[in-house]
Amino acid sequence: SLMQFRYRQLAVLHRLLRTYGADADAVFRGAGFDPAIIEEPSVDTDVDRLEALHQAAARATGDRAIGLEVALALEK
């Protein structure tokens, strides 16, 4: 998919991966994201890359609902 959109949750996802004891930087790199990107307030990306990142995060943590965890973390 070429649909681009602005995404603000990368830092939240990175932090959540670390709380699970996962190698957050490796997960990000594996999905084609430079871990330094979490310093950006938001990033333009496409749906497929973001889906790949969430799938990698789910594999790394065993939490198939990690995308929901990120959304819930933003509610706090």
Side-chain angles (χ1 to χ4, degrees), residues 45-68:
T45 189
D46 64 75
V47 175
D48 292 345
R49 282 187 71 207
L50 199 56
E51 179 66 18
L53 178 60
H54 278 104
Q55 287 177 356
R59 284 192 301 274
T61 61
D63 181 356
R64 291 176 50 211
I66 196 155
L68 182 58

Side-chain angles (χ1 to χ4, degrees), residues 15-28:
R15 186 168 65 246
L16 194 55
L17 280 161
R18 291 197 321 267
T19 67
Y20 272 93
D23 184 341
D25 286 355
V27 170
F28 270 60

